[in-house]
Amino acid sequence: RRLYNRTIEAIRYAKKYIYITTPYFVPTHKLARVLRLAAHRGVDTKIIIPERSDYPIVDLGARTFFHSLLKSGVKIHLYRGEMIHSKTMVIDGDWASVGTLNIDNISLLYNFEANIVTTNSLFAEELESHFISDLENSREVTYEEWKNRYFVEKIATFFVKFFRDFL
């Protein structure tokens, strides 16, 4: 829980940007809310997740959050090619985290995870450069594109909403 609370706190105090890379993105409702609020207050909030992970049901779980996040201004990028397995976060160039923490309910609330959390700006700068590089191999999902997705995908994400808290 300590990593989870430090992450929430760092996002709440972000002023310029939040860059997150994670292979599995099924955040808690609280984490999704602080990300939306950050975007509303003008913080450049970007998330990179794999276009397809090794768990299709988790991919659907991630997509249940897309509508509200995109609508609030969070930018979601789908990494193309082999699955990205980085688990990093950089905030404002002066807070960074890397380690085993996925952005999903189980990792955030129950698993014993090990991350380096630092305010070392050189470390944060290095992680940010990796994030920028990964953006080049990613495709941004727009709010308009998301609203106009296939009906089958809308139905699938609707049903996954009922048990996404267990993913």
Side-chain angles (χ1 to χ4, degrees):
R1 297 270 270 163
R2 201 174 268 177
L3 279 172
Y4 176 63
N5 291 330
R6 294 279 307 268
T7 300
I8 295 288
E9 181 182 331
I11 291 169
R12 279 192 176 136
Y13 291 106
K15 290 180 177 41
K16 296 180 275 185
Y17 64 86
I18 300 165
Y19 296 158
I20 299 171
T21 305
T22 184
Y24 309 112
F25 182 76
V26 187
T28 63
H29 296 285
K30 183 178 184 178
L31 181 55
R33 186 178 74 247
V34 297
L35 287 169
R36 287 192 312 269
L37 290 172
H40 277 298
R41 65 177 191 270
V43 176
D44 181 26
T45 307
K46 294 181 181 171
I47 302 167
I48 298 175
I49 62 173
E51 195 165 44
R52 285 183 180 43
S53 76
D54 48 354
Y55 294 103
I57 193 73
V58 175
D59 294 343
L60 281 173
R63 282 150 177 78
T64 65
F65 288 94
F66 281 20
H67 181 84
S68 63
L69 290 171
L70 291 168
K71 189 174 182 181
S72 69
V74 173
K75 296 175 188 85
I76 300 170
H77 299 263
L78 301 177
Y79 188 82
R80 298 180 191 167
E82 292 187 32
M83 187 177 142
I84 192 164
H85 212 273
S86 299
K87 299 164 186 168
T88 65
M89 188 177 305
V90 182
I91 298 176
D92 294 342
D94 56 16
W95 189 96
S97 174
V98 63
T100 64
L101 184 71
N102 291 305
I103 306 298
D104 63 35
N105 283 282
I106 294 169
S107 282
L108 291 167
L109 301 176
Y110 304 110
N111 286 353
F112 292 106
E113 303 289 358
N115 272 43
I116 295 171
V117 177
T118 183
T119 56
N120 181 303
S121 59
L122 293 175
F123 187 84
E125 187 178 299
E126 181 71 25
L127 285 183
E128 182 179 344
S129 71
H130 288 284
F131 183 88
I132 301 299
S133 175
D134 291 337
L135 274 180
E136 293 173 11
N137 295 318
S138 303
R139 162 182 88 72
E140 184 174 354
V141 178
T142 65
Y143 181 65
E144 285 303 314
E145 173 190 344
W146 185 249
K147 284 191 330 185
N148 296 319
R149 69 194 183 284
Y150 291 115
F151 182 73
V152 172
E153 189 173 357
K154 290 179 183 181
I155 293 294
T157 54
F158 172 79
F159 285 110
V160 170
K161 272 186 181 182
F162 296 109
F163 60 90
R164 69 182 174 197
D165 292 345
F166 301 103
L167 298 176

